Amino acid sequence: MISLRLFSPRLFASVSLLLALFASLSSFAAEPLKLKTVRIATVVFSNAGKVTFNGPTYLMDKDPWLKQELAKRGVELEWVPAATASVGTFINEEFANKRIDFAFYGDLPTIILNSSGVSTKLLAAGGIGNNVYLVVPPDSTAKSIDDLKGKRIALHRGRPWELSFAKLLDSRHLGFDDFRIFNLNPQAGAAALSAGRVDGFFTLSDAFLLEDKKVGKIIWSSKQAPADWRMRAELFGASDFVAQQPQVTQLIVTAYLKALKWASEEQNKAEYIKLQAQSGQPESVLLREVAGESWKDHFSPLIDGNLRQHYQDGIAYSLKAKLIRNDIKVDDLLDARFVEQGLKDLNLSDEWKAHSSTNP
């Protein structure tokens, strides 16, 4: 039998001190570290040796409001640049490795990310989306996608506009197997079209540049299609960060809404187009991209029926095309709380009108 005399009062005091120390350390470890930096990834353009942010993020960076509000909380703002050539892959890796908290980027990459088990939330829409275009050589007799069946088409696979292309094919009862698809980025695709190595090229507003250079002509655009066919890019946040830092998340969304409000005002249109032209796209191209459409709607942040339909279709397509293995629920991806609160705080609740999907 062990003698109780071995446990002296001094030993009990030492043990009690150690237990208290361990309890203190455990409590400290359980407390979340104080947030020091919020990191936002955004597309950047390099033109003539000058790097510029894309669209509203340029305005968010120039407006001191967000930096000042974060500074009040002892938090710094860090922009994480994403090159246009590898936006989706880069941002997905940054989210997966917890090196960013927010990002502005497109639909298919984020669907792939969430299917892999890395959860993000769509916090605000990126307007009504960008148009996509089908371009053919200037001497082509093709009038529609049907006329290109069996022909060579350049398309950058895995980028947001692949979903738009898939919708176009589906509307004509066609499939990817009906064409010879060349997986080329926009620069390589434009070069292939110019050199006559492909019969068609599916791309963004750079299609106008090809027409201007007389090396291509547009035979179809999403301006002729339902709104949810467009290429989309939104504001996403890491789900863990959003849950743990709702006040900071609200600041980010509100700053974005302030930028959208300024950009959407008709009197600021010329200045905004000029800022956008710093990316290298001529103002004439940018103006043709939005011609005949509501300028204000281009900056709608609303998570509405059109957006929901777009992402629901994107998930279904990703499963069908085997881009993802695990299904995700569109309602798990969308989080409209911060947009609604931000619009209310800025007295902008009636600024934009929500749209229901035209699809069944």
Side-chain angles (χ1 to χ4, degrees), residues 300-332:
S300 172
L302 301 182
I303 298 175
D304 60 11
N306 278 340
L307 182 142
R308 189 182 186 282
Q309 184 67 52
H310 180 89
Y311 279 87
Q312 187 166 292
D313 291 346
I315 293 167
Y317 169 72
S318 298
L319 284 167
K320 181 180 177 182
K322 299 183 179 179
L323 297 176
I324 61 175
R325 294 183 178 180
N326 301 313
D327 192 9
I328 57 177
K329 303 301 181 185
V330 68
D331 290 327
D332 292 340

Side-chain angles (χ1 to χ4, degrees), residues 4 13 32 40 46 50 76 89 97 102 106 110 136 147 197 230 253 291 310 318 341 343 346-348:
L4 293 176
I40 309 175
S46 180
K50 184 179 181 181
E76 292 185 357
T89 301
N97 290 295
F102 300 93
T110 200
V136 296
D147 299 327
R197 294 197 299 270
R230 295 174 181 236
V253 174
H310 180 89
S318 298
Q341 185 62 50
L343 291 173
L346 296 171
N347 295 318
L348 297 176

Side-chain angles (χ1 to χ4, degrees), residues 24-45:
S24 176
L25 289 173
S26 298
S27 175
F28 177 78
E31 293 179 4
L33 295 175
K34 178 175 169 40
L35 182 66
K36 295 181 179 180
T37 305
V38 60
R39 301 153 299 179
I40 309 175
T42 185
V43 175
V44 296
F45 297 97

